[in-house]
Amino acid sequence: MRTGPRNLITDVEGLLVGNAEDYRIKTGTTVLVADRPFRASVDVMGGSPGARETELLAPDKLVEDIDALVLSGGSAFGLDAASGVTDGLRKLGRGFRVEKATVPIVPGAIIFDLLNEGDKDWDENPYRDLGRQALAAAGRDFALGTAGAGVGALTANLKGGLGSASLQIPGGYTVGALVAANPTGSVTMGDTRHFWAAPFEVGDEFGGLGCFSGPLDFAQTARSKRDWVNPIANTTIAIVATDADLTKAQLKRLAVAAQDGIARGASPSHTQVDGDLIFSVSTGARALDNPIANVMHIGHAAAVCLARAMARAVYLASPAPRDVVPTWRERWGR
């Protein structure tokens, strides 16, 4: 497998990502935007999702293109980050035109990061401003780990984070993933330093450690989670993207296929207490030459990218004061 030049979702030409953080609150927001409106769909497999404007992404809904997607911390409070992005896009003249009105279309999703010992005693919801800041910061390069929507993320036994990865696949298509990894499950194999995503690693992008070959102590991971934080305070949210020209119906199938990436990246996944949600995006730059085969290959690549992105999110996380769980590097000394 070969990654794009950045090994980021922005290897899909035309896509930009911006992060904004508040390290005192231990939270943040990440925005994906493009140089022009783009098609999108969504799939939800977690039992506790939090999202806005996802219904309009269904194939039978009027709006064909959207203007941005938002991943945010903050649980229900974080849904307001999309309002800040909407404000910023409106100032730029971006949005769905209805006669003289311009309405930016900005779906979003949130993770639960309210129990990570950040200072949540705000007087005014901070997420609208974080959304504006993230939009203003959007570019081809962006930080991973303890950045953007991943600042306050946790996993079963380690600090979570923001991850991304890409692949260039036969046919000339590029596929990428962006994830705020905050699962109830563990991203590592039991209580070891090895990642569940190891079989899909490209080079040494998350340590090159391979798979763990010994017996796994899953019970220890579960106990560790309960020792530190509430085990129902989680969710993994992600975006997968391609330059292939996909319809909204094909994008729905892409989002469904990409859910395998969460299952390959964390164990357990898709639980009743996770809100696992994936947006899928097409910039429409490259025509399909074999629609059935192309969509199948792109879906597989998206799942692979997402699993890798989850491992990178944890591998690149950095420590901060009052952390309730260690980072991977603190725990394993690399």
Side-chain angles (χ1 to χ4, degrees), residues 47-63:
S48 303
R52 79 170 232 171
E53 291 199 289
T54 52
E55 281 298 314
L56 60 79
L57 301 179
D60 63 326
K61 298 304 185 285
L62 172 66
V63 174

Side-chain angles (χ1 to χ4, degrees), residues 207-218:
L209 301 170
C211 297
F212 182 66
S213 59
L216 296 175
D217 184 356
F218 297 103

Side-chain angles (χ1 to χ4, degrees), residues 22 29 38 40 47 60 70 76 133 155 160 164 168 174 177 192 240 260 272 274 276 282 318 329:
D22 188 318
T29 294
F38 52 89
D60 63 326
V70 177
Q133 293 176 39
T155 76
S164 191
Q168 294 177 333
T174 300
T192 79
V240 295
D260 288 350
Q272 186 177 8
D274 283 288
D276 297 348
S282 166
S318 56
R329 292 174 186 273

Side-chain angles (χ1 to χ4, degrees), residues 155-158 184 186 188-192 215-228 267 331-332:
T155 76
N157 54 344
L158 298 168
T184 292
S186 172
T188 55
M189 295 179 172
D191 195 30
T192 79
L216 296 175
D217 184 356
F218 297 103
Q220 176 59 42
T221 297
R223 286 194 299 273
S224 297
K225 176 67 178 179
R226 287 193 291 270
D227 287 344
W228 281 319
S267 180
R331 177 69 175 82
W332 302 112

